Structures are given as structure tokens and as C-alpha cells.
Amino acid sequence: MSIRYGLLALLETGPRYGSQLRTEFESRTGATWPLNIGQVYTTLSRLERDGLIVPEGGGDAKQQLYAITGTGRRELADWYARPVDRTQPARDELAIKLALAVGTPGVDVRAIIQAQRAHTLKAMQDYTRLKARALAAGPDSQEEMAWLLVVEQLIFAAEAEVRWLDHCESRLLRFAADRAAASPAAERDTPGAPDPEREAPLPRAAAETPGGAA
Amino acid sequence: MRARAADRGTGQAGSEQPVLRLDRLGRVHGSGPTAVHALREVDLTVHAGEFVAVMGPSGSGKSTLLTLAGGLDSATEGRVLVEGRDLAGLGRAELARVRRTSVGYVFQDYNLIPALTAAENIALPRELDGASRRSARREALDALGEMNLAELADRFPDELSGGQQQRVAIARALVGDRRLVLADEPTGALDSESGEAVLVLLRRRCDEGAAAVMVTHEARLAAWADRVIFLRDGRIVDESAAGNPESLLAGGGAR
């Protein structure tokens, strides 16, 4: 997320000091992405350099009021109109971990999936507590509504991850079952297959059912 | 309030009698080499104020756990204790009474009686339990009022939306002294907003002292619970407990 556009968006409603911008950004996003004041001033000086904002009054940066320029407004309008780019996916550690685990002998992919599922679900539980609080409190201001939307985004993103993990598990189980049916000896080498020393492989029927949250 | 309920559920185990305790619970169908273990050695303790969600793939034993916990089926191994009473030690009539007075069920398809109004549906179990018609109706109206459904008291189920019917079903599950709600996919037939209203309500009832066990396949719904247990092949394989949400936001970014 570009802090640049976040600050421009706040400045569109009127001139502000750097410290005000930091407080308002955090209040809109519920401190989900905390800013340090140094980042705010660095970004403001770049925005000024690019002609998107202008300082109002004198003094040093900390006492400086900043206002958006016409160019800044056009840049902001472009940002709102442009979809957030999803064609260059961020490097996702979990996807990379599973991709590598599937090809690595001796790694229990199901255990990785379950550990991650429990961890992500716990995060969802905590986000849901924050959401329940926000719902109980109103929300009756734009800041509270903005925060509710942000926390719900976190919940939906975590849910998508849990669903994907369920899908991975059921796909790997089916793959293991199919390989075992084709060649009983291949089962031991199948990535993601349950370790026969630790637990019996799931029956075929179970492998064909969707996972818990699929 | 939420934190207090969670503390009661997870931090004070043993300091008060649990509402539900499953002790090495098992259910085997059939015998010999063809025996199917629907549930194996499940231990679970649920205290007042605690909301537990049960997740797992189809056939993992989720619904079996719920039917055993509510005395709708009998365990082949282990024990079910509801408010300290071992269901296996109860005669048929007594078991029926415990089911009626201590346990409330919420099903995916609401199970309201179509010929009775919302208030009558809620009052019925109280009347069956010996309450006078007048006091049962008063309790039903109170329960509906708590759920902001008072104006729907005299409507029949087919005059209510799915979400409203399910909220009436929850009111019915908790009317009287019943403190244990067993819910099987309670939002399965509802749209996302109505489903969330049902969860908000279940959560609130737990915060007020009820205990709930809910089977769900949706992580977003399970996340309303204090604890989520994962079943696989009839066994509990993992558990996730809610923590301190502030810790998520400390130290630079939630994700």
C-alpha cells in the first residue's frame, strides 16, 4: 500500500499537519498499518517535490501545514479510478512453503496445512472479536465504518486462506489415493500422503469429500 | 465482556462445574472387522460463557459429537455429562427431561412447528415442562424481546424470513433454565448477513452465560467462537483458542 496516496486522500478534504495525517490514517485503518512519523515526513517531502502538495506557512517540517495541489487531486482521482494491481502477485510465503514441501521427501504436508489452518483460524477469531466490538459500538462515524471494512477485509482474506488450505488438503489426499490405487508401491513416495507409520491412509470416500471449510 | 467470557471458558476450567463434559467419548457403528469408529476418545469440556465451534471434513464425526452431547444417540465408549449428570446413568424419562430442560438444539432447517406462532414455538417446551400457559408465554415474549423480535411474536414461521426463523429457534433453544445450545450448521440456509445476525446472537447469549457447541464448515463463522476444535476421522486433531486481538495489531501490520 502506498502511503503516498493515503496522505493525498486525507489532504483532499483540507490542509493538515504531518502529525495529524498520521493520526487520521491510523484511525481510518484501526492501526492495522501503523505509520511512523518519519515515514510521513519523508513521503510529504516527496509529494512536495513532485508538485502534488504545497507547504502552507513557514517553519520546519513538523510545524508545516500541507495542502493538496490541482495535480495532486488529479493523481488521487486516477488512483481511485485505477484497480489495485493484482497481476503481479506478492510473494506469498505460505504458497511457496507448500510448493516446496510437496516436492520434498519426509515433509508432512498435511501437518503443515493443519498447523497453518489452526494459526489462521486463530487470527480470524481475534479479528472477529475486533469486529464484534466495532459492531456493538455502532459504527456511527465514517472512521468507525472505515475500520469495520478494514477488519472485515482481514477476516475475508484469512477465510480465503483457510478455504485454500482445505482445498490443498483434499486435492493432495485425492492425488495420494489415486496414486495408491494405480500402484500400491507409489504411495510411500506420494507428496502429501499420510505417513503409513503414523496413521492409516484415509479411505477413498473421505479423500473425495471437500475439506472442512471448502 | 468478550474477554471475560473467554476467560471463564478457558482460564478457569475446574473452578466451576462445566455445562458439558465429554469424557473419552466414542461411538462405534457395527462390530468386528466392519466396525466404523464415528468418534474416538474425544475429550471436551465446555463451561458457561463459552462458545466452541467444531470443524472438520465431511464424515469426521462433527454431527455424531453433537448428537451424543445432546443425548439424541448413545455413546459406545466414554461418558457425556450435562451439568454434571452422566446421560448414560439416566432412565428414558429422565433423559428426556434433561434434553428438554438443559439442552437446546438449533438445526440448519430451524425445525419450528408450522402451525404455531413464534411465541407459541418458544413457549411449547416450557409448557411441556409444566409451566402454566401464561408464564410460558411471558417467558417467550421476554426471549423474543431480547432478540429484538417482539413484534413478530404472533407470526407463523412461514411469515418470517429464514434469519428470523433461526433467531426464534435460538430463543426456543435457550428459553427457561437451559444453558447448553447445540447448533448444527445453524446458518447453512441463510444469506451471509442473516447468518451473521445469528452468530452475533449466539455469541451474545454465551457472553451472558450460556454455553454453545456449534458444528460448522465455514471458518468465518467458527471464528466467532472462543475455541475451535478440528475433528478428523473421529478424533480431535487440533484446537485453536482466541487470544488477545490487540496483539495482532501491535508491532507493524496485521498481516
Side-chain angles (χ1 to χ4, degrees), chain B residues 12-187:
Chain B
Q12 297 178 7
S15 63
E16 62 181 280
Q17 178 172 276
V19 177
L20 174 68
R21 191 172 146 217
L22 308 181
D23 180 19
R24 311 293 287 169
L25 194 65
R27 179 69 170 97
V28 184
H29 298 286
S31 59
T34 58
V36 175
H37 291 260
L39 212 62
R40 304 169 191 239
E41 299 177 344
V42 166
D43 289 317
L44 178 67
T45 302
V46 188
H47 286 86
E50 203 178 9
F51 184 4
V52 175
V54 182
M55 295 189 79
S58 302
S60 61
K62 303 188 297 286
S63 292
T64 302
L65 185 153
L66 219 57
T67 52
L68 293 177
L72 297 172
D73 185 18
S74 302
T76 48
E77 293 152 13
R79 297 186 304 161
V80 177
L81 291 97
V82 175
E83 297 187 310
R85 283 168 298 190
D86 184 347
L87 297 190
L90 303 178
R92 225 169 125 180
E94 210 176 348
L95 179 62
R97 200 180 65 77
V98 168
R99 282 208 302 256
R100 207 170 56 241
T101 58
S102 297
V103 187
Y105 301 91
V106 180
F107 301 97
Q108 182 172 333
D109 52 2
Y110 327 127
N111 276 21
L112 298 179
I113 298 171
L116 300 181
T117 64
E120 288 166 348
N121 262 286
I122 297 169
L124 182 66
R126 298 296 295 140
E127 286 186 51
L128 288 175
D129 210 31
S132 71
R133 176 165 289 199
R134 178 182 290 198
S135 78
R137 179 164 173 89
R138 196 169 50 242
E139 285 185 67
L141 293 179
D142 287 347
L144 285 167
E146 279 176 33
M147 301 189 182
N148 299 322
L149 292 172
E151 74 281 9
L152 306 178
D154 296 319
R155 293 212 195 156
F156 290 92
D158 65 2
E159 298 171 319
L160 302 173
S161 72
Q164 289 168 338
Q165 288 188 60
Q166 196 59 302
R167 283 150 68 200
V168 170
I170 292 173
R172 181 182 60 182
L174 283 166
V175 74
D177 297 327
R178 287 181 288 182
R179 290 202 302 162
L180 177 60
V181 184
L182 302 174
D184 196 350
E185 302 279 6
T187 67

Side-chain angles (χ1 to χ4, degrees), chain A residues 30-34 110 114-115 117-118 120-133 135 147 152 154-159 161-162 166 169 199-200 202-203 206 209-214, chain B residues 2-3 5-6 55-58 62 192 196 200 203 216-228 230 232-233 237-255:
Chain A
T32 307
W33 299 281
R110 271 184 104 182
Q114 179 52 37
R117 183 163 40 211
T120 305
L121 204 81
K122 181 187 177 310
M124 276 180 85
Q125 286 175 272
D126 293 342
Y127 296 141
T128 302
R129 289 187 167 218
L130 294 173
K131 171 180 167 164
R133 267 187 225 168
L135 286 176
W147 160 231
E152 286 184 326
L154 298 171
I155 292 168
F156 277 92
E159 182 190 28
E161 184 170 294
V162 170
D166 289 337
E169 184 173 46
E199 64 179 316
L202 282 185
T209 58
Chain B
R2 296 285 315 281
M55 295 189 79
S58 302
K62 303 188 297 286
S192 143
E196 184 171 286
V200 167
R203 178 69 263 174
T216 181
H217 67 281
E218 287 194 57
R220 189 155 39 89
L221 303 180
W224 285 86
D226 299 303
R227 284 194 288 149
V228 182
F230 298 89
R232 191 199 290 157
D233 305 335
V237 293
D238 212 340
E239 179 169 333
S240 151
N244 171 15
E246 272 71 24
S247 66
L248 280 173
L249 304 179
R255 279 173 67 78

Side-chain angles (χ1 to χ4, degrees), chain A:
Chain A
M1 150 70 197
S2 167
I3 301 167
R4 182 182 172 89
Y5 293 110
L7 300 189
L8 276 182
L10 292 170
L11 287 171
E12 203 197 16
T13 56
R16 281 167 174 76
Y17 294 101
S19 56
Q20 257 182 308
L21 288 168
R22 178 197 185 190
T23 310
E24 286 184 34
F25 182 86
E26 291 190 356
S27 115
R28 289 285 186 105
T29 57
T32 307
W33 299 281
L35 292 183
N36 73 51
I37 195 70
Q39 283 174 294
V40 173
Y41 288 121
T42 308
T43 309
L44 284 172
S45 68
R46 285 182 189 148
L47 288 169
E48 185 185 346
R49 181 197 65 198
D50 297 342
L52 305 179
I53 61 171
V54 284
E56 288 191 345
D60 66 6
K62 284 184 187 166
Q63 275 129 34
Q64 193 69 262
L65 202 57
Y66 289 92
I68 192 166
T69 63
T71 315
R73 281 184 207 283
R74 280 192 295 280
E75 176 107 4
L76 181 64
D78 280 351
W79 180 61
Y80 277 130
R82 194 169 60 236
V84 173
D85 186 17
R86 298 293 192 215
T87 59
Q88 300 286 322
R91 233 178 251 137
D92 185 292
E93 184 182 345
L94 178 59
I96 293 168
K97 188 191 277 192
L98 283 192
L100 294 174
V102 165
T104 308
V107 174
D108 186 346
V109 184
R110 271 184 104 182
I112 294 173
I113 289 173
Q114 179 52 37
Q116 185 66 46
R117 183 163 40 211
H119 176 84
T120 305
L121 204 81
K122 181 187 177 310
M124 276 180 85
Q125 286 175 272
D126 293 342
Y127 296 141
T128 302
R129 289 187 167 218
L130 294 173
K131 171 180 167 164
R133 267 187 225 168
L135 286 176
D140 55 8
S141 69
Q142 286 182 336
E143 282 74 20
E144 285 167 2
M145 178 51 74
W147 160 231
L148 184 58
L149 295 180
V150 167
V151 82
E152 286 184 326
Q153 191 274 337
L154 298 171
I155 292 168
F156 277 92
E159 182 190 28
E161 184 170 294
V162 170
R163 288 169 65 104
W164 175 67
L165 288 166
D166 289 337
H167 169 79
C168 291
E169 184 173 46
S170 81
R171 187 176 280 289
L172 286 167
L173 282 170
R174 192 182 308 186
F175 184 60
D178 287 349
R179 290 200 40 171
S183 159
E187 189 186 331
R188 263 198 313 268
D189 305 325
T190 303
D195 181 348
E197 297 296 315
R198 295 175 56 195
E199 64 179 316
L202 282 185
R204 184 76 181 273
E208 285 172 354
T209 58

